[in-house]
Amino acid sequence: MKLIILYILAFTGGIFLAIQAGFNTQLGSILKQPVAAVISTSISSAFFGGLLLVFTSKGHIQLNTFEQVPWYLWFLGGVFSMIGISLYFYTIPKLGISKMIALGLCGQLIFSLIAGKFGWLNLPVEPLTTKRLAGAFAMLIGILLINSK
């Protein structure tokens, strides 16, 4: 039962990210600056994330915990987020949201399979199995079908 809830949450997260991409693509198009939409997303995400932290926090983060975090972890996620989201906002008006999301998911899937196999980014190692490769291949076929006329 617990696993099904995690699956539903992950699926819902994907829906929310697609909705967010649609709204921020509109903002970036109106402003004619996809990066301005990324800045808006980042500021509003920080604000609402801060509210969520205040209302759901079970305790305070200890100062020595901050000292244990390597300096680059505070920034690199933001760099990759800004670039990735900017690319989404730039390509959605040109490709359409379904093609862009399909291609974006393909990139995420391929990278996650490779990163999981080698344990990159300090993530758990996940072996490449025949089933996982067949699933990735099926998704690639789906992406080709979505992107064909």
Side-chain angles (χ1 to χ4, degrees):
M1 184 63 163
K2 214 176 201 184
L3 192 58
I4 190 87
I5 291 171
L6 291 175
Y7 286 171
I8 291 168
L9 290 173
F11 182 81
T12 304
I15 292 170
F16 276 49
L17 290 177
I19 292 169
Q20 175 265 346
F23 281 131
N24 280 5
T25 296
Q26 291 178 52
L27 177 61
S29 293
I30 292 168
L31 297 174
K32 304 210 181 334
Q33 283 292 337
V35 174
V38 173
I39 292 168
S40 170
T41 297
S42 299
I43 291 169
S44 61
S45 292
F47 174 76
F48 290 112
L51 286 178
L52 184 64
L53 187 63
V54 166
F55 290 113
T56 62
S57 180
K58 295 179 178 144
H60 299 292
I61 299 173
Q62 301 297 321
L63 285 178
N64 64 349
T65 303
F66 283 101
E67 295 169 0
Q68 295 171 5
V69 177
W71 66 270
Y72 58 87
L73 290 181
W74 294 105
F75 304 103
L76 282 181
V79 169
F80 281 92
S81 177
M82 189 280 301
I83 293 168
I85 294 172
S86 293
L87 291 171
Y88 273 28
F89 298 164
Y90 178 76
T91 57
I92 287 173
K94 293 167 179 29
L95 297 175
I97 194 164
S98 62
K99 287 181 182 178
M100 191 290 310
I101 292 288
L103 291 166
L105 288 174
C106 180
Q108 290 179 34
L109 175 68
I110 290 171
F111 180 81
S112 69
L113 288 171
I114 295 167
K117 177 181 179 6
F118 296 107
W120 291 350
L121 306 174
N122 204 26
L123 296 171
V125 173
E126 300 172 308
L128 282 178
T129 63
T130 304
K131 283 184 181 180
R132 294 182 88 204
L133 290 173
F137 182 73
M139 186 169 176
L140 291 173
I141 296 297
I143 288 166
L144 290 174
L145 292 173
I146 287 170
N147 285 301
S148 65
K149 293 197 179 213

